[in-house]
């Protein structure tokens, strides 16, 4: 990397509070690397104590909204006490001699989850948050990779907990299962105890490249990938992109509707806002944002100034509110995440909350990137064209073709938020690197203003009669019909045409919309593009992070009677599998 790039990030490191400020920016060790390796800091100090020292102790840090829409607000002083509870609890069951203090958190977004994440970071425990509705089989795969010393959960089902405990014993993993209540905890198969305050512990400072957390992403087959992030580089990127892309500051009230088990639930719902002295709203069940009562709660009672939503929820909001608006004088920034945002949906969202259209921080990122790598900025003028904007700065170079040609997205220069390791070993790690370029496995193109457009994953690009069309392009055309809530287009191999497309869609109308879909596609792309099949479902199969499982749709369509090979451990709505299989079997009978 050029020296000017390294100097830029070293200069930006000054936005964090360091015990020992780094002299070096990036150091390469083969195809592994470390950011600010000679620096020392504590993430939780940056997110909590530093704000208290600045005089923000009585300012709200977290508004916690549970699944019953009950709000409890915690100041920075309150949050410090909550962290202290869990820090002391962890210490109670371990000694300083114990090397493995890895922590698995099996809970959704809440004050308990946030406090555990911050407590883990404070004492230097490597942690991982997993979705709270994962089946035990999926959890055991993750336990196998993380080997946690503690498993924290709110789930009280004895059969489930016994299954996890038996698995740990069988595999010689010394894991203590702790069930969390509001004011109490229970060690599995032991009596419930009240939290006790054992006094505040001093902050320890850790090397910047110390492993902070792992997040597991699901593949189509095999084990989930354990993506590992560092402490200093990751925190810098979280704070930096919050400021640069969303305009976060000490006056901001952030509503990031993300599950805690997703990268945005770390970067933009917790660490980014708190490191900037902002307030954050944690919504235990993000789908509740669709209700008017929740929208009122977030925008009018809690006065959210930044609203960052999954595209799936934005599409659903559009289907519910259609021509209605939900104006809020407080909102200054809006963002979208998780899926490509269709033009029609984006233009509707741009002034759902405001009378004049806001720029949509339409984000491009992956778990591997640690945060946003490309998006429009909150203060840009909105011109009605939906793209993921330009890279967050000129030093993060996306390598691609000139003009509007499609290309496989690769990134030339490393950035501090980039993952530093994988739990699955060298083979998984090496898959991401190609001749010093970081591969994103996505297809993109640039518009005339050099703004990036995402067309989907490599295997979502459809080749028909020599025409390369991204699934996102097709889906955007279909979503112009207000009767269609969401859609997914997948391709099947065809010896003559190259590919044939299958359209899956969910509608708020009982009418069969197949003909109108075919007409819309052909009017846009031409007569050569004729869907092989159109299938209406009650919803698209998707993960809790909002990503539609297109590969799953393709595999079920090809072999509806066969047992699934796909990893569906993070799937939000598994009932859709049976609905789709029944429809396909009925068609063939």
């Amino acid at each position: 990397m050029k020296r000017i790039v390294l100097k830029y990030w070293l200069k930006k490191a000054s936005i964090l509070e360091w015990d020992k400020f780094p002299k070096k920016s990036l150091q390469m060790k083969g195809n592994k690397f470390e950011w600010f390796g000679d620096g020392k800091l504590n993430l939780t100090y940056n997110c909590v104590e530093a704000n208290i020292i600045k005089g923000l102790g009585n300012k709200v840090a977290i508004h916690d909204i549970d699944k019953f829409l009950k709000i409890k607000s915690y100041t920075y002083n309150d949050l410090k006490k909550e962290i202290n509870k869990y820090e002391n609890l962890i210490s109670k069951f371990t000694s300083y001699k114990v090397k493995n203090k890895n922590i698995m958190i099996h809970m959704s977004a809440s004050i308990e989850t946030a406090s555990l994440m911050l407590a883990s970071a404070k004492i230097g425990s490597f942690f991982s948050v997993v979705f709270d509705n994962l089946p035990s089989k999926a959890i055991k795969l993750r336990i196998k990779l993380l080997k946690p010393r503690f498993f924290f959960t709110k789930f009280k089902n004895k059969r489930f907990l016994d299954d996890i405990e038996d698995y740990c014993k069988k595999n010689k993993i010394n894991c203590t299962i702790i069930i969390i209540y509001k004011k109490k905890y229970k060690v599995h198969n032991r009596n419930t105890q009240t939290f006790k305050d054992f006094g505040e512990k001093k902050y320890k400072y850790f090397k910047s490249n110390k492993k902070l957390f792992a997040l597991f992403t699901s593949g189509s087959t095999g084990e989930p990938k354990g993506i590992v992030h560092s402490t200093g580089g990751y925190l810098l990127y979280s704070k930096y992109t919050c400021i640069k892309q969303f305009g976060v500051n000490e006056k901001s009230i952030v509503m990031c509707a993300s599950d805690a088990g997703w990268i945005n639930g770390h970067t933009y719902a917790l660490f980014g806002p708190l490191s900037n002295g902002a307030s954050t709203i944690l919504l235990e069940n993000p789908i509740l944002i669709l209700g008017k009562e929740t929208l009122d709660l977030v925008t009018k009672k809690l006065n959210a100034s930044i609203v960052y939503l999954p595209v799936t929820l934005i599409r659903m909001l559009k289907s519910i509110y259609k021509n209605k608006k939900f104006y809020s004088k407080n909102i200054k920034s809006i963002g979208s995440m998780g899926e490509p945002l269709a033009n029609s949906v984006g233009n509707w969202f741009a002034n759902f909350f405001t009378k004049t259209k806001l720029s949509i921080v339409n984000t491009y990122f992956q778990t591997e990137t640690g945060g946003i790598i490309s998006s429009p900025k909150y203060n840009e003028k909105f011109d009605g064209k939906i793209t993921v904007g330009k890279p967050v700065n000129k030093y993060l170079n996306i390598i691609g073709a000139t003009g509007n040609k499609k290309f496989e997205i690769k990134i030339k220069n490393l950035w501090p938020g980039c993952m530093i390791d994988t739990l699955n070993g060298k083979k998984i790690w090496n898959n991401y690197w190609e001749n010093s370029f970081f591969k994103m496995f996505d297809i993109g193109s640039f518009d005339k203003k050099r703004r990036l457009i995402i067309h989907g994953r490599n295997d979502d690009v459809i080749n028909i009669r020599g025409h390369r069309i991204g699934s996102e392009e097709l889906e955007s055309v279909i979503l112009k019909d207000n009767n269609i809530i969401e859609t997914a287009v997948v391709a099947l191999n065809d010896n003559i045409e190259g590919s044939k497309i299958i359209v899956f869609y969910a509608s708020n109308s009982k009418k069969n919309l197949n003909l109108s879909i075919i007409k819309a596609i052909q009017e846009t792309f031409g007569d050569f593009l004729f869907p092989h099949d159109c299938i209406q479902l009650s919803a698209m199969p998707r993960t809790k992070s909002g990503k539609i499982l297109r590969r799953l749709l393709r595999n079920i369509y090809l072999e509806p009677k066969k047992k699934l090979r796909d990893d569906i451990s993070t799937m939000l709505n598994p009932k859709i599998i049976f609905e789709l299989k029944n429809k396909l079997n009925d068609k063939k009978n």
Side-chain angles (χ1 to χ4, degrees), residues 98-274:
V98 175
K99 289 185 178 180
N100 177 24
K101 293 184 183 178
N102 294 354
I103 293 170
M104 184 167 280
I105 304 168
H106 174 247
M107 297 192 287
S108 55
S110 65
I111 184 64
E112 294 87 359
T113 305
S115 300
L116 269 167
M117 292 164 74
L118 289 161
S120 301
K122 182 181 176 183
I123 63 176
S125 287
F126 184 50
F127 67 91
S128 182
V129 182
V130 296
F131 296 120
D132 66 341
N133 66 349
L134 282 180
S136 60
K137 182 181 178 182
I139 291 169
K140 285 184 280 190
L141 283 173
R142 288 151 174 78
I143 287 173
K144 177 184 174 184
L145 291 167
L146 187 72
K147 295 179 175 57
R149 175 66 182 83
F150 295 97
F151 182 86
F152 284 93
T153 184
K154 288 184 180 179
F155 204 51
K156 301 170 190 175
N157 185 287
K158 192 172 186 306
R159 185 176 177 183
F160 165 82
L161 296 171
D162 284 342
D163 189 27
I164 298 298
E165 190 167 72
D166 290 345
Y167 176 82
C168 291
K169 286 178 180 177
K170 184 179 178 181
N171 290 276
K172 298 180 180 178
I173 299 170
N174 181 18
C175 182
T176 302
I177 297 174
I178 300 178
I179 307 151
I180 297 297
Y181 301 82
K182 287 290 181 183
K183 303 277 185 182
K184 299 179 179 181
Y185 70 89
K186 178 182 180 181
V187 179
H188 183 43
N189 290 325
R190 296 192 210 170
N191 293 331
T192 300
Q193 299 178 53
T194 302
F195 277 107
K196 292 180 181 178
D197 189 351
F198 296 93
E200 183 187 345
K201 287 182 166 56
K202 290 182 179 179
Y203 281 92
K204 290 183 177 181
Y205 297 93
F206 304 102
K207 288 186 176 180
S208 173
N209 211 56
K210 178 174 173 50
K211 293 177 181 180
L212 177 66
F213 67 86
L215 276 175
F216 293 95
T217 63
S218 296
S220 59
T221 58
E223 289 185 338
K225 293 176 291 183
I227 304 300
V228 178
H229 284 286
S230 68
T231 300
Y234 168 78
L235 181 61
L236 171 62
Y237 202 69
S238 300
K239 186 171 185 176
Y240 170 84
T241 52
C242 270
I243 298 167
K244 199 167 177 66
Q245 306 309 108
F246 287 103
V248 175
N249 55 44
E250 290 178 6
K251 295 180 181 178
S252 300
I253 301 171
V254 181
M255 170 69 236
C256 174
S258 171
D259 193 285
W262 197 23
I263 189 67
N264 275 335
H266 288 50
T267 307
Y268 301 109
L270 189 65
F271 301 131
L274 296 188

Side-chain angles (χ1 to χ4, degrees), residues 26-68:
L26 175 73
Q27 291 174 285
M28 297 298 299
K29 296 180 178 181
N31 70 344
K32 292 287 182 75
F33 54 87
E34 57 183 40
W35 281 95
F36 318 117
D38 59 335
K40 284 188 174 184
L41 78 167
N42 186 290
L43 179 142
T44 305
Y45 182 94
N46 274 267
C47 290
V48 182
E49 193 70 24
N51 292 314
I52 294 171
I53 291 170
K54 288 176 188 174
L56 301 177
N58 293 322
K59 179 182 184 292
V60 171
I62 293 174
H63 294 291
D64 181 40
I65 305 178
D66 69 15
K67 57 188 175 184
F68 305 109

Side-chain angles (χ1 to χ4, degrees), residues 517-576:
I517 288 170
I518 293 168
K519 184 180 178 183
I521 289 173
Q522 292 195 324
E523 284 178 351
T524 305
F525 297 98
D527 292 341
F528 77 93
L529 193 54
F530 188 93
H532 176 75
D533 204 353
C534 296
I535 298 168
Q536 185 172 357
L537 297 167
S538 59
M540 294 296 107
R542 58 179 181 272
T543 64
K544 286 190 76 171
S545 66
K547 292 186 178 181
I548 294 174
L549 297 163
R550 290 173 177 81
R551 193 176 295 171
L552 175 70
L553 287 168
R554 182 189 296 116
N555 290 345
I556 292 174
Y557 188 89
L558 286 169
E559 299 176 322
K561 292 184 178 179
K562 282 199 174 183
K563 186 178 179 180
L564 287 178
R565 301 188 307 271
D566 303 75
D567 174 11
I568 58 167
S569 59
T570 59
M571 189 174 174
L572 181 66
N573 48 354
K575 289 181 181 178
I576 298 300

Side-chain angles (χ1 to χ4, degrees), residues 279-296:
S279 301
T280 186
I281 300 169
L282 299 182
L283 193 58
E284 188 174 22
N285 185 2
I287 204 165
L288 292 174
I289 198 71
L290 300 175
K292 185 180 182 301
E293 185 182 355
T294 314
L295 285 170
D296 277 330

Side-chain angles (χ1 to χ4, degrees), residues 357-359 376-384 449 451:
K357 289 193 172 185
L358 287 174
S359 174
K377 294 173 179 61
Y378 73 100
N379 53 3
E380 288 181 12
K381 188 177 180 181
F382 183 69
D383 65 2
K449 295 182 179 179
R451 296 177 299 190

